[in-house]
Amino acid sequence: QVQLVESGGGAVQAGGSLRLSCATSRSILSFNTMDWYRQAPGKQRELVAAITAGGITDYADSVKGRFTISRDNAKNTVYLQMNSLKPEDTAVYYCKGSLIVIPWEDYWGQGTQVTVSS
């Protein structure tokens, strides 16, 4: 069974930073693109950042220049470094991935809450 577990969320003031972690139950090299999503109350879940198996990254326009997605292969962990946080970044953040050998199945973490106060 594939497990993804997010951690690192919390409450910060605007302008602060957080680093989210997504620990996986197997090598992250076995995954297709690993994604970070977020969902604010009453809003649709949106893609925030992605990193491909080859290490190519992409970001939503709203977080470009502030967020950085990265991975640590030795720790089987994907990170989301969030700097210059804004109140509108407040949401539950989820990591998502699919296995290269089972690309039709998506796996989601349980989510971690990020709250940014003004």
Side-chain angles (χ1 to χ4, degrees):
Q1 183 178 1
V2 177
Q3 296 182 20
L4 285 70
V5 180
E6 303 99 331
S7 62
V12 298
Q13 293 184 334
S17 298
L18 286 172
R19 188 178 74 163
L20 306 183
S21 299
C22 177
T24 64
S25 61
R26 58 189 295 164
S27 172
I28 61 173
L29 298 177
S30 67
F31 288 88
N32 289 309
T33 301
M34 295 293 298
D35 305 324
W36 282 98
Y37 283 77
R38 67 185 181 188
Q39 187 167 26
K43 301 190 69 175
Q44 186 176 358
R45 187 172 297 185
E46 64 173 339
L47 178 65
V48 176
I51 184 168
T52 70
I56 300 173
T57 59
D58 198 13
Y59 302 91
D61 289 341
S62 59
V63 306
K64 286 181 179 178
R66 299 188 298 120
F67 290 11
T68 303
I69 187 171
S70 62
R71 68 190 184 198
D72 187 328
N73 296 341
K75 295 183 178 180
N76 294 333
T77 300
V78 178
Y79 301 99
L80 184 67
Q81 178 67 46
M82 306 185 296
N83 298 325
S84 301
L85 284 163
K86 304 175 180 180
E88 50 262 44
D89 295 319
T90 295
V92 177
Y93 284 71
Y94 301 88
C95 62
K96 180 187 78 70
S98 60
L99 299 178
I100 294 173
V101 296
I102 317 177
W104 55 88
E105 292 286 345
D106 292 330
Y107 298 92
W108 293 84
Q110 84 288 352
T112 185
Q113 177 71 49
V114 172
T115 302
V116 184
S117 61
S118 60

